[in-house]
Amino acid sequence: MGNGVREGQVDFKRQDVEPITPTHLPSEGNQEKKKVLNSLMSGALAGAVAKTAVAPLDRTKIMFQVSSKRFSAKEAYRLIYRTYLNEGFWSLWRGNSATMVRVIPYAAIQFCAHEEYKQLLGSYYGFQGKALTPFPRFIAGSLAGTTAAMLTYPLDMVRARMAVTPKEMYSNIVHVFIRISREEGLKTLYRGFTPTILGVIPYAGLSFFTYETLKKLHADHSGKLQPSPPERLLFGACAGLIGQSASYPLDVVRRRMQTAGVMGHTYSSILLTMQEIIREEGLIRGLYKGLSMNWVKGPIAVGISFTTFDLTQILLRKLQHSTNVER
């Protein structure tokens, strides 16, 4: 018996037992970096595609917002057609280069921040790995929008100036920065910042809240984990409609304050700007000017944006997974 035991021990020692080493298993830190990078790339693409698609409508809306002209669908069409005849087809996208310079970092930061805030709030409220409840869902969207707006605001100011001025006034984005800094002071680059932040809180909060809520309701009722691309577009359109309608008056105030230097007005505060708009143009016609165009433009842009982000995220995850499997 003793020999048997000893032989068993010897045999065991002779076995070639190799430790399993997770050579190709990405570390937690690398996974987090990849997740952040994916969110940034997906967000940047989503913002660029969405804004380019609606650029002519966006420019037309801004031109009405900063003027005292009465808005109507017929007038908007006339303005677009007149711009096309006088300045050419591509002039309808004037200011879009400035929009891209602003919207690519803005959308990248906003979507990435939203993913991070969802994770943080999920940990805080005990919903890690699950869908957030309504209030944290709204807070995550608001914080994401606020973070992006704070970091990219001067670019939004420059884009608004380029949209409402003739091309002879500002030749490019750098020229706008130089002229504003020299003629109006660096502080001007942050004119309209307060109404922007006040407007982005309900806008981003309600947009992300609506989109995430509709996706959750869809999953609960259909049994499918992911909605189809057309369903994503529809959910995004609803999100854009609700978010932009809630924050629209502050958007008008923001544009007036941003373009005051070139439009011959002086607006010192949000309340005084609102009072002047209401006094000169009326409450609905002034503070909600161009809203009907936004009901066309906004849902399209937000729908494209959310859908592009989600589909790009899915594609990048699949590519990374296939790369890891091949290794």
Side-chain angles (χ1 to χ4, degrees):
M1 283 192 54
N3 288 340
V5 171
R6 277 198 298 276
E7 280 179 17
Q9 287 173 341
V10 171
D11 288 339
F12 178 75
K13 286 177 183 174
R14 282 179 184 171
Q15 287 175 5
D16 295 326
V17 180
E18 293 183 6
I20 299 168
T21 53
T23 49
H24 299 300
L25 194 65
S27 67
E28 213 169 289
N30 285 339
Q31 281 182 324
E32 187 59 31
K33 281 179 188 173
K34 282 182 180 178
K35 185 185 161 196
V36 169
L37 189 61
N38 283 357
S39 295
L40 287 169
M41 289 169 61
S42 303
L45 182 64
V49 172
K51 278 295 183 182
T52 301
V54 297
L57 293 175
D58 209 21
R59 182 174 186 246
T60 305
K61 182 201 75 171
I62 292 172
M63 291 177 81
F64 274 102
Q65 281 183 328
V66 301
S67 73
S68 56
K69 290 178 186 174
R70 186 176 172 182
F71 176 84
S72 68
K74 188 186 283 186
E75 284 300 314
Y77 169 76
R78 281 178 182 166
L79 178 59
I80 291 170
Y81 187 63
R82 199 161 51 243
T83 304
Y84 162 70
L85 288 178
N86 296 336
E87 301 177 46
F89 178 73
W90 294 112
S91 67
L92 296 171
W93 274 266
R94 174 164 165 73
N96 196 51
S97 57
T99 301
M100 289 300 103
V101 171
R102 178 194 75 94
V103 87
I104 287 172
Y106 179 90
I109 293 166
Q110 180 175 241
F111 278 106
C112 182
H114 182 248
E115 294 298 307
E116 295 303 308
Y117 285 130
K118 275 201 304 183
Q119 193 172 314
L120 284 169
L121 289 167
S123 300
Y124 182 78
Y125 285 101
F127 296 109
Q128 194 68 42
K130 298 176 187 176
L132 293 172
T133 51
F135 182 67
R137 211 176 295 159
F138 174 82
I139 294 297
S142 295
L143 288 172
T146 303
T147 303
M150 287 173 70
L151 294 174
T152 61
Y153 185 77
L155 294 168
D156 186 45
M157 169 74 170
V158 167
R159 174 250 186 166
R161 285 290 180 96
M162 287 191 78
V164 300
T165 54
K167 55 187 174 184
E168 296 80 23
M169 188 165 183
Y170 298 120
S171 55
N172 54 51
I173 300 163
V174 177
H175 188 210
V176 184
F177 273 110
I178 292 169
R179 279 196 65 175
I180 289 174
S181 303
R182 189 185 298 153
E183 296 172 11
E184 301 173 56
L186 283 170
K187 206 166 111 177
T188 305
L189 290 171
Y190 279 88
R191 185 181 289 159
F193 178 72
T194 305
T196 297
I197 296 300
L198 291 175
V200 88
I201 290 169
Y203 169 66
L206 286 169
S207 295
F208 279 105
F209 167 81
T210 304
Y211 185 68
E212 295 286 326
T213 301
L214 289 172
K215 281 206 301 183
K216 186 178 182 302
L217 289 171
H218 174 271
D220 292 343
H221 287 85
S222 70
K224 293 191 290 184
L225 288 174
Q226 297 291 343
S228 65
E231 286 168 336
R232 289 180 196 275
L233 279 169
L234 181 62
F235 298 162
C238 292
L241 190 67
I242 293 167
Q244 294 197 349
S245 298
S247 61
Y248 196 78
L250 285 164
D251 190 44
V252 173
V253 171
R254 166 175 71 122
R255 293 301 182 203
R256 291 294 178 97
M257 293 180 78
Q258 284 177 336
T259 58
V262 292
M263 301 300 288
H265 290 280
T266 51
Y267 299 119
S268 56
S269 71
I270 298 170
L271 286 175
L272 288 174
T273 305
M274 281 187 166
Q275 285 174 4
E276 189 169 330
I277 292 169
I278 292 167
R279 187 175 63 250
E280 291 180 1
E281 303 164 51
L283 176 65
I284 303 300
R285 288 178 184 171
L287 291 177
Y288 288 90
K289 181 185 290 182
L291 178 60
S292 56
M293 179 175 282
N294 236 38
W295 283 343
V296 176
K297 177 194 79 73
I300 294 170
V302 179
I304 291 172
S305 183
F306 277 125
T307 304
T308 305
F309 176 79
D310 279 354
L311 295 181
T312 308
Q313 283 275 78
I314 292 165
L315 177 63
L316 289 173
R317 284 195 204 108
K318 282 182 179 176
L319 287 172
Q320 284 177 358
H321 179 69
S322 61
T323 305
N324 290 334
V325 169
E326 283 172 12
R327 285 179 181 175

